[in-house]
């Protein structure tokens, strides 16, 4: 790569040590009630055709692979065929001689590491010296046609020197050397977390019963229908536009600047509408950066589209997690303490893994009152595709464990599982033991809805053997309270431009991945300005033109971009109202904006068309533009790790699922799903329905069939770790035929932090599905399956145990012996804590050199 | 690699087009790359997902498995041919209004399969719709909105202009009465 001298490094905000909270945000928290909020709404809460609906139903939406540019050439990656090895030799000669070949890239040309998290900059665009999983990219080749690029990639010869492979957390704990990475908390363990909120042992001592469960959640993958694709278009020797199917154009922008050594201002990233994301397109990826580098080298547009097999290798999906859960209960069913241990199989790179690790514990406290809580976790590096965030990011696994555990506890205590949950609900506007601030909570209403709808009270436990009902709940974030790079800047911004045409141009960095974020932003603006959705022109996800929005992840867009849109629109309305007021001779406070008009509420006939009102304002104030931005409220937690879990608001869901189990075959058929989701306030109910139904679908896939699993080839055949099924046919996902009827209840418990009270709906409704299926199987045939996906062999095994009078269960048998060290000790709000840890230093020293920043510091000090 | 090129006239959406393409290329590749008809998508190019579904002589086929070279004289239909002028086909309108297209990536393939279904079955049952579309994967919707959209479009196509999907399709089910009463939300 060209020397980085002479090009200014991309501006990067100073990284702050986790735990040191940022300064209070400038106050832009939206008021709980807005002027005009009492007026009837025209758009919000009513079903409308999504703004991109027509383009999507006509095939006009341009996805990344649909883009074509003059002189465009094609890129292909040569990926590792072995799971862990040193690269001994790369031979490009044969490939170079093939027709149409334009050029190659290898790891040596892009030495700068990257990664989504500042603490895990552990990826290289192309592996410089060693490969860490089957699929790790080693060489990139460009050619005139895609066929030629494929042929050339096949002709590249890479020789490897195999290294021992690590396939599981247990192996990683037992095998500290050789290390997959030369950083991480210990040996091959990427991250170790231990924290205790309140005196958990005292809590167990005060309990009448202590229950313990071991649960395993197999990994699974996002499987978006669109394979990742990117097109890089050079505009000069040092200026480039990258179109990509990414959920996070802002973070791709950062990674491109870092690796290419170009100022970020010379790089434009445009996120094309994603053909599904689910978290699978939220890391910056090798192929995107490679395409940009190659385009700059060759001076022509470069396109790369991954094959379906490659998408399985990119992964970043659900971590396989083994969990041990202990909870103390009083006789009456109140919780006294919980100790959760999780072990995550992280795959070969960091990705979002540090956050995922914390997320396997953080949200255990927001549904049911948990006075004391201890959480230990370890994330291991293994020689498999990296795991990361998939819908629910880190929370479906412990939620599954918790909800199955609660079902068992309810049975043991003789309490109806629905009652047990209802009597333990977290109160609204409270702070949990781990210092998360819960605002609105409609969980009780959710439980009551599905209980009534399913006939739970009359039917549970009374259905003929083979039929059963299971209940479970869940909660999710409406965006992470802290950004990935800690800074004081907005997490979402919106800019509005108005002119005499009456067109409202709205610019926002948000990224449409199918969830309907374009429609949310448009609806917020149209509602406030009283215009038709068709009069809104959206420009989104373009790092040159649109204000930064951090991306479509952690269910953040409705709350964050929505609030920013509301603020920008209210400011625009103020300007227009001033102009219209003068024009009409009516005080601005008396003006209403609706149905494309600005009019006097006391004399509605007296008014202006919206375009005329804008013209009146434009002629008085000049060109009209406003901005809005959003920064979440500060969270009360101050301990190391407190950055994961806080959110402006939490969504809640409850589900009852009915199953039919065939005891001959072990097949479990899901007969009906009742689900209720507390969305705060619908922006567009028909899209809320779609998100709920889509989440139920994906949850059923995870519960019953989906697994991203690996196997070792026999020792005689390299002992390599290979993906069991990198294909759509073998990776089972539910089809039309598998989808049961779903009854959806939308519960609206508006949250003051949401735009119009709205909360998220894209991820939360997935959470109760998996445990509700497992609990229903118990109701049907009396066996416990403490593992997902639940296969027929598991049910048959447990039934056989049952027949023998043994423990009727299928699931993991032990949690690995592991020393998590001294937990970070944090007093709870109830104990009069202040949100800090009392032993921050002690707990840190124990682990030695932890984060990558600390390690760099230590290395610097030593040299 | 030597590439044999091929020239032929394909009938696409009722329009004859002369195309030149590598003889081994699939219909999917020719549609997208030679004809610029990028409405037809791909999710695997191995016949596994249904995303690339188009109609050939009215029958849904996976265009990633079909050699373009063999399709001279056949009637090929893609999503781009569904509209009449600027009017959406009832299926397209129903998909747009019900949010049956979320990311929209599976949508063109599903629209084509649904169009073929309605051509020979004006009033398909839910099970018939599911069976006709079972070869098409959708990762976003959970399939319900798609089934409801096909039912809606079928009714419109039959001239039952008064038909609309049930209220629940847009708003969800009304929470049962005792749901609200018994709530204990702290
Ligand atoms: S692209 Fe998947 S079936 Fe054709
Ligand atoms: S709408 Fe996204 S895959 Fe079907």
């Amino acid at each position: 790569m060209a020397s980085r001298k002479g090009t200014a490094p991309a501006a990067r905000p100073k990284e702050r040590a986790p735990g040191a909270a940022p300064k209070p945000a400038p106050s832009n928290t939206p008021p709980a009630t807005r002027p005009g909020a009492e007026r009837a709404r025209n758009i919000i809460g009513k079903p409308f055709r999504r703004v991109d609906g027509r383009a999507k139903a006509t095939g006009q939406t341009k996805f990344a692979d649909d883009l074509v540019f003059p002189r465009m050439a094609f890129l292909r990656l040569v990926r590792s065929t072995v799971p862990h090895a040193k690269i001994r030799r790369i031979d490009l000669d044969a490939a170079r001689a093939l027709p149409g070949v334009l050029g190659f890239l290898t790891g040596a040309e892009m030495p700068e590491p990257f990664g989504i998290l500042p603490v895990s900059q552990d990826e290289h665009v192309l592996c410089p010296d060693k490969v860490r999983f089957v699929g790790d990219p080693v060489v990139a080749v460009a050619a005139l046609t895609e066929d030629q690029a494929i042929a050339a990639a096949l002709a590249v010869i890479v020789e490897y020197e195999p290294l021992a492979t690590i396939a599981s957390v247990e192996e990683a704990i037992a095998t500290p050397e050789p290390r997959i990475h030369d950083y991480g908390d210990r040996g091959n363990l990427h991250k170790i977390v231990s924290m205790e909120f309140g005196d958990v042992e005292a809590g167990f001592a005060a309990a009448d019963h202590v229950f313990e469960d071991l649960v395993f959640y197999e990994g699974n993958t996002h499987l978006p229908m669109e394979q990742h694709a990117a097109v890089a278009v050079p505009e000069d020797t040092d200026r480039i536009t990258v179109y990509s199917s990414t959920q996070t154009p802002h973070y791709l922008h950062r990674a491109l600047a870092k690796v290419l050594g170009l100022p970020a201002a010379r790089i434009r990233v445009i996120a094309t509408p994603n053909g599904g994301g689910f978290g699978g397109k939220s890391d910056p990826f090798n192929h995107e950066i490679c395409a940009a580098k190659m385009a700059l080298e060759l001076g022509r547009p470069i396109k790369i589209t991954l094959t379906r097999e490659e998408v399985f290798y990119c992964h970043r999906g659900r971590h396989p997690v083994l969990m041990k859960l202990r909870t103390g209960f009083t006789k009456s069913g109140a919780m006294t303490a919980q100790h959760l241990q999780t072990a995550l199989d992280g795959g070969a790179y960091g990705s979002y893994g540090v956050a995922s690790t914390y997320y396997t514990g953080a949200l255990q406290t927001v549904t049911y009152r948990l006075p004391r809580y201890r959480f230990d976790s370890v994330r291991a590096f293994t020689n498999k595709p990296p795991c990361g965030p998939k819908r629910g990011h880190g929370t479906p696994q412990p939620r599954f464990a918790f909800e199955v555990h609660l079902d068992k506890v309810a049975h043991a205590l003789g309490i109806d599982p629905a009652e047990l949950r209802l009597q333990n609900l977290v109160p609204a506007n409270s702070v949990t033991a781990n210092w998360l601030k819960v605002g609105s909570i409609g969980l009780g209403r959710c439980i009551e809805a599905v209980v009534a709808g399913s006939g739970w009270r009359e039917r549970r436990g009374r259905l003929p053997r083979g039929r059963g009902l299971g209940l479970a709940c869940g909660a999710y974030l409406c965006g992470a309270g802290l950004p990935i790079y800690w800074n004081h800047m907005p997490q979402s911004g919106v800019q509005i431009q108005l002119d005499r045409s009456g067109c409202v141009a709205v610019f926002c960095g948000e990224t449409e991945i199918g969830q309907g974020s374009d429609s949310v932003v448009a609806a917020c603006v149209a509602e406030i300005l009283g215009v038709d959705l068709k009069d809104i022109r959206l420009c989104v996800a373009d790092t040159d033109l649109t204000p930064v929005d951090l991306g479509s992840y952690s269910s953040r867009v409705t709350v964050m971009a929505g609030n920013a849109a509301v603020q920008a629109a209210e400011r625009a309305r103020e300007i227009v109202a001033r102009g219209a007021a003068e024009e009409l001779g009516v005080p601005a406070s008396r003006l209403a904006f609706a149905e494309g008009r600005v009019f006097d509420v006391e004399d509605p006939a007296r008014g202006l068309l919206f375009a005329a009102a804008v013209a009146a304002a434009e002629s008085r104030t000049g060109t009209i533009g406003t901005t809005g931005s959003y920064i979440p409220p500060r969270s009360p937690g101050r301990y190391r790790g407190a950055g994961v879990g806080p959110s402006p608001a939490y969504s809640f869901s409850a589900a009852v699922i009915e199953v039919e189990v065939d005891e001959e075959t072990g097949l479990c058929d899901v007969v009906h799903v009742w689900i209720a989701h507390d969305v705060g306030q619908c922006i567009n109910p028909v899209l809320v329905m779609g998100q709920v139904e889509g989440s139920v679908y994906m949850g059923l896939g995870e519960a019953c069939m989906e697994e991203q699993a690996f196997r070792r080839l026999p020792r005689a055949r390299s002992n390599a770790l290979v993906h069991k099924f990198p294909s759509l046919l073998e990776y089972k996902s539910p089809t039309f035929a598998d989808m049961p009827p779903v009854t959806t209840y939308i519960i609206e418990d508006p949250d003051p932090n949401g735009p119009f009270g709205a909360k998220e709906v894209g991820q939360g409704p997935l959470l109760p599905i998996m445990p509700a299926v497992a609990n229903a199987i118990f109701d049907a045939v009396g066996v416990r399956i403490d593992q997902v996906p639940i296969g027929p062999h598991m049910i048959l095994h447990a039934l056989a145990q049952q027949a023998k009078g043994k423990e009727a269960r299928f699931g993991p048998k032990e949690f690995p012996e592991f020393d998590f060290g001294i937990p970070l000790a944090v007093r709870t709000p109830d104990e009069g804590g202040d949100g800090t840890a009392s032993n921050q230093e002690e707990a840190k020293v124990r682990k030695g050199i932890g984060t990558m920043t600390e390690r760099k510091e230590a290395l610097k000090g030593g040299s | 690699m030597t590439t044999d090129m091929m020239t032929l006239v394909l009938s696409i959406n009722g329009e004859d087009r002369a195309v030149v393409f590598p003889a081994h290329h699939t219909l999917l590749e020719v549609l997208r790359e030679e004809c610029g008809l990028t409405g037809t998508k791909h999710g695997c190019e191995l016949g596994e997902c249904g995303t690339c579904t188009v109609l050939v002589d009215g029958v849904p086929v996976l265009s990633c498995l079909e050699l373009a070279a063999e399709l001279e004289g056949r009637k090929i239909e893609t999503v781009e041919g569904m509209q009449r002028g600027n009017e959406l086909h009832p299926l397209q309108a129903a998909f747009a209004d019900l949010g049956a297209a979320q990311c929209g990536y599976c949508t063109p393939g599903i629209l084509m399969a649904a169009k073929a279904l309605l051509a020979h079955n004006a009033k398909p049952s839910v099970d018939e719709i599911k069976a006709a579309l079972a070869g098409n994967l959708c990762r976003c919707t959970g399939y319900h909105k798609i089934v409801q959209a096909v039912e809606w479009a079928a009714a419109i196509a039959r001239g039952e202009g008064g038909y609309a999907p049930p209220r629940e399709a847009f708003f969800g089910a009304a929470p049962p009465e005792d749901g609200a009463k018994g709530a204990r939300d702290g």
Side-chain angles (χ1 to χ4, degrees):
Chain A
M1 163 173 121
S3 146
R4 292 192 55 196
K5 278 192 300 262
T7 54
R12 274 178 54 193
K14 272 217 242 48
E15 283 157 23
R16 190 186 313 278
K23 282 209 293 278
S27 114
N28 71 338
T29 321
T33 52
R34 304 196 165 75
E38 65 286 351
R39 267 198 297 277
R41 291 174 183 148
N42 292 310
I43 293 171
I44 300 295
K46 304 199 168 140
F48 58 87
R49 177 183 286 187
R50 48 187 300 155
V51 297
D52 51 359
R54 186 183 170 99
K56 284 179 171 173
T58 54
Q60 281 164 4
T61 299
K62 288 279 182 220
F63 297 91
D65 188 50
D66 299 338
L67 302 176
V68 175
F69 294 88
R71 291 185 72 238
M72 188 170 82
F74 296 85
L75 191 75
R76 192 81 170 177
L77 299 180
V78 178
R79 294 179 182 267
S80 167
T81 52
V82 293
H84 197 197
K86 289 197 174 123
I87 299 170
R88 206 186 273 147
R89 192 173 71 93
I90 298 175
D91 183 346
L92 304 175
D93 290 348
R96 207 186 301 277
L98 291 174
V101 172
L102 298 172
F104 297 89
L105 291 172
T106 60
E109 283 145 293
M110 288 173 281
E112 187 66 23
F114 71 100
I116 182 70
L117 299 187
V119 293
S120 315
Q121 300 283 302
D122 61 359
E123 297 183 55
H124 284 92
V125 178
L126 297 165
C127 298
D129 46 11
K130 80 172 195 167
V131 294
R132 295 178 171 87
F133 69 99
V134 171
D136 220 357
V138 181
V139 176
V141 49
L144 286 175
T145 70
E146 200 169 18
D147 287 350
Q148 289 167 335
I150 292 170
L154 288 170
V156 168
I157 297 165
V158 185
E159 276 181 25
Y160 299 103
E161 182 184 324
L163 295 167
T165 57
I166 291 175
S168 65
V169 178
E170 289 83 351
E171 284 182 27
I173 291 172
T175 322
E177 300 280 342
R179 296 181 84 186
I180 294 175
H181 285 282
D182 63 356
Y183 83 103
D185 280 350
R186 199 188 299 170
N188 278 308
L189 303 177
H190 177 205
K191 184 73 191 166
I192 303 167
V193 171
S194 181
M195 32 205 195
E196 183 170 12
F197 305 93
D199 187 342
V200 168
E201 280 316 314
F204 284 133
D208 296 315
H209 306 276
V210 176
F211 297 91
E212 182 174 312
D213 274 299
L214 273 176
V215 177
F216 177 64
Y217 201 109
E218 180 58 282
N220 54 54
T221 199
H222 322 84
L223 209 77
M225 293 318 298
E226 177 205 31
Q227 304 108 315
H228 306 50
V231 188
V233 183
E235 289 167 37
D236 204 334
T237 48
D238 58 354
R239 202 177 148 91
I240 189 162
T241 299
V242 178
Y243 300 83
S244 183
S245 51
T246 175
Q247 299 177 233
T248 53
H250 173 70
Y251 295 111
L252 174 57
H253 195 203
R254 280 177 180 272
L256 283 166
K258 186 177 186 221
V259 178
L260 299 176
L262 284 178
R266 306 261 175 88
I267 301 171
R268 177 181 186 186
V269 177
I270 298 177
T272 47
N274 288 202
F278 316 111
K281 296 170 181 166
S282 39
D283 287 56
F285 283 102
N286 318 59
H287 65 270
E288 299 168 311
I289 307 175
C290 259
K293 177 77 177 168
M294 188 63 96
L296 286 169
E297 301 259 300
L298 297 178
R300 64 196 299 168
I302 294 289
K303 178 191 277 190
I304 182 164
T305 305
L306 302 189
T307 63
R308 178 53 61 183
E309 184 180 350
E310 287 181 287
V311 174
F312 279 95
Y313 298 145
C314 284
H315 189 45
R316 323 285 160 152
R318 187 86 70 227
H319 284 75
V321 183
L322 179 61
M323 292 158 282
K324 180 171 160 184
L325 185 58
R326 281 180 80 212
T327 314
F329 279 85
T330 64
K331 280 197 282 288
S332 60
M335 289 191 278
T336 60
Q338 182 171 94
H339 183 185
L340 170 66
Q341 296 187 308
T342 67
L344 293 81
D345 178 344
Y349 289 97
S351 182
Y352 283 80
V354 170
S356 318
T357 306
Y358 282 107
Y359 274 130
T360 63
L363 299 195
Q364 287 298 85
T365 54
V366 300
T367 43
Y368 317 114
R369 269 193 309 268
L370 196 49
R372 302 172 193 84
Y373 177 49
R374 176 163 172 185
F375 169 58
D376 301 324
S377 183
V378 54
R379 181 183 194 260
F381 284 127
T382 58
N383 295 110
K384 302 193 267 191
C387 297
K390 184 187 169 197
R391 207 172 200 168
H393 192 189
T395 69
Q397 300 97 324
R399 179 54 59 185
F400 175 73
F402 198 0
E403 297 291 325
V404 166
H405 182 71
L406 278 179
D407 202 63
K408 297 184 189 181
V409 170
H411 275 272
L413 298 179
I415 302 174
D416 177 333
E419 287 305 320
L420 181 66
R421 288 169 171 90
L422 285 168
Q423 75 183 48
N424 279 301
L425 290 181
V426 162
N429 304 313
S430 60
V431 179
T432 66
N434 59 341
W435 293 90
L436 302 181
K437 175 147 187 350
V438 176
S440 82
I441 167 168
L443 182 56
R445 283 166 65 198
C446 289
I447 295 174
E448 293 288 359
V450 294
V451 160
S454 63
W456 169 267
R457 292 203 169 93
E458 309 78 56
R459 297 170 68 227
R460 179 190 66 98
R462 304 205 186 105
L463 293 171
R465 187 170 163 95
R467 276 255 177 180
L469 289 176
L471 178 144
C473 302
Y476 200 63
L477 312 163
C478 301
L482 285 178
I484 289 174
Y485 286 81
W486 290 17
N487 58 49
H488 305 308
M489 291 178 278
Q491 295 193 31
S492 191
V494 166
Q495 199 156 359
I496 292 179
Q497 178 189 302
L498 298 177
D499 70 25
R500 57 204 89 171
S501 70
C503 173
V504 180
V506 180
F507 300 83
C508 178
E510 60 85 6
T511 306
E512 177 61 71
I513 63 170
Q515 86 280 45
S517 54
D518 283 3
S519 300
V520 166
V521 170
C524 288
V525 173
E527 179 69 47
I528 288 166
L529 295 180
V531 297
D532 193 285
L533 284 165
K534 284 189 181 145
D535 297 323
I536 307 259
R537 173 65 66 185
L538 274 181
C539 172
V540 301
D542 178 331
T543 60
D544 262 15
L545 299 185
T546 60
V548 170
D549 174 273
L550 297 181
S552 284
Y553 63 94
S554 81
S555 269
R556 51 178 296 292
V557 183
T558 293
V559 166
M560 300 204 190
N563 275 324
V566 165
Q567 190 179 54
E570 284 178 343
R571 288 172 176 172
R573 186 171 68 177
E574 234 178 83
I575 295 171
V576 176
R578 273 202 307 271
E582 273 187 40
E583 188 83 14
L584 295 167
V586 170
S589 59
R590 250 173 46 197
L591 291 178
F593 285 61
E595 288 164 22
R597 290 177 72 240
V598 180
F599 57 90
D600 182 357
V601 280
E602 288 173 14
D603 176 10
R606 190 161 168 196
L608 295 169
L609 286 177
F610 180 74
V614 176
E618 200 179 343
S619 53
R620 286 169 175 84
T621 59
T623 302
I624 303 172
T626 63
T627 60
S629 50
Y630 183 73
I631 298 177
R634 198 177 176 202
S635 144
R638 295 284 173 276
Y639 56 90
R640 184 187 172 85
V644 179
S647 176
Y650 298 89
S651 76
F652 297 90
S653 326
V656 168
I657 290 182
E658 182 165 352
V659 301
E660 181 155 8
V661 177
D662 181 334
E663 297 192 60
E664 288 291 308
T665 60
L667 286 170
C668 167
D669 187 28
V670 175
V671 179
H672 200 108
V673 177
W674 293 266
I675 179 145
H677 179 76
D678 167 22
V679 69
Q681 158 72 48
C682 289
I683 302 289
N684 180 351
V686 72
L687 294 195
V688 169
M689 290 293 294
Q691 289 301 305
V692 173
E693 288 167 359
S695 295
V696 169
Y697 150 86
M698 200 166 270
L700 289 174
E702 297 199 12
C704 303
M705 59 186 88
E706 294 187 32
E707 53 180 334
Q708 164 109 333
F710 296 79
R711 62 195 164 100
R712 275 192 194 283
L713 295 180
R715 213 160 259 289
R717 294 188 50 214
S718 83
N719 200 24
L721 257 182
V722 295
H723 202 296
K724 252 180 166 171
F725 355 86
S727 97
L728 269 176
L729 200 59
E730 296 303 324
Y731 179 94
K732 302 294 182 216
S733 65
T735 69
F736 273 93
D738 299 306
M739 201 48 197
V742 177
T743 303
T744 300
Y745 305 104
I746 299 175
I747 304 295
E748 295 183 313
D749 190 341
D751 194 287
N753 284 338
F756 304 97
K759 304 197 281 191
E760 76 88 37
V761 60
Q763 311 194 53
L766 173 135
L767 290 150
I769 302 302
M770 296 73 67
V773 169
N775 293 341
I777 290 172
F778 175 77
D779 191 45
V781 291
V783 303
R784 289 290 177 186
I785 312 296
D786 294 334
Q787 183 165 337
V788 286
I790 299 173
H793 62 290
M794 298 178 188
I795 295 178
L796 287 179
H797 171 93
L799 285 170
Q801 296 286 103
Q802 186 184 50
K804 284 187 231 155
K806 294 194 185 147
E807 191 190 18
R809 167 182 185 267
F810 187 97
K813 300 219 163 55
E814 57 182 18
F815 192 87
E817 269 304 309
F818 187 72
D819 174 19
F820 290 94
I822 306 161
L824 199 65
V826 182
R827 279 193 300 155
T828 66
D830 285 351
E831 294 170 343
D834 60 0
T836 62
S838 57
N839 63 343
Q840 190 102 355
E841 284 317 303
E842 183 194 358
K844 191 163 132 191
V845 169
R846 170 207 41 105
K847 282 199 305 189
I849 295 161
T851 65
M852 185 169 262
T853 338
E854 285 163 353
R855 176 177 150 265
K856 276 204 195 120
E857 290 303 313
L859 289 179
K860 253 191 248 152
S863 63
Chain B
M1 182 195 299
T2 60
T3 309
D4 289 333
M5 298 300 285
M6 175 127 205
T7 307
L8 46 84
V9 175
L10 292 177
S11 155
I12 305 169
N13 300 325
E15 297 164 5
D16 283 349
R17 286 176 187 246
V19 279
V20 183
F21 57 92
H24 66 281
H25 271 196
T26 62
L27 175 58
L28 171 72
E29 289 168 301
V30 172
L31 287 172
R32 291 179 53 83
E33 291 159 22
E34 261 67 48
C35 305
L37 294 171
T38 53
T40 302
K41 306 299 177 200
H42 53 81
C44 65
E45 301 188 57
L46 293 167
E48 298 170 348
C49 68
T51 308
C52 63
T53 305
V54 300
L55 304 187
V56 174
D57 296 334
V59 177
V61 302
L62 300 174
S63 62
C64 71
L65 298 185
E66 209 69 34
L67 281 178
E70 295 175 343
L71 296 174
E72 187 154 36
R74 313 281 294 276
K75 213 169 132 269
I76 300 163
E77 289 172 77
T78 70
V79 69
E80 287 91 347
M82 283 185 87
Q83 276 171 260
R84 284 293 153 261
N86 214 1
E87 268 308 286
L88 294 183
H89 186 282
L91 278 165
Q92 293 175 308
F95 270 61
D97 287 333
L98 270 171
Q102 285 187 17
C103 78
Y105 200 80
C106 69
T107 310
I110 292 183
L111 286 170
M112 297 320 286
K115 182 168 186 247
L117 168 70
L118 297 190
H120 66 80
N121 184 348
K123 198 171 181 180
S125 67
V126 167
D127 283 342
E128 285 168 335
I129 295 170
K130 286 185 172 185
L133 302 182
N136 293 68
L137 292 175
C138 170
R139 261 324 242 182
C140 298
T141 60
Y143 304 117
H144 282 265
K145 290 280 167 278
I146 295 175
V147 173
Q148 289 161 349
V150 174
E151 285 185 297
W152 191 3
I156 302 293
R158 291 194 302 269
E160 295 167 25
Y163 175 92
R167 205 192 124 81
E168 287 93 85
F170 295 95
F171 293 94
E177 257 309 289
D178 51 339
K181 271 198 306 225
R184 271 166 276 171
D185 283 332

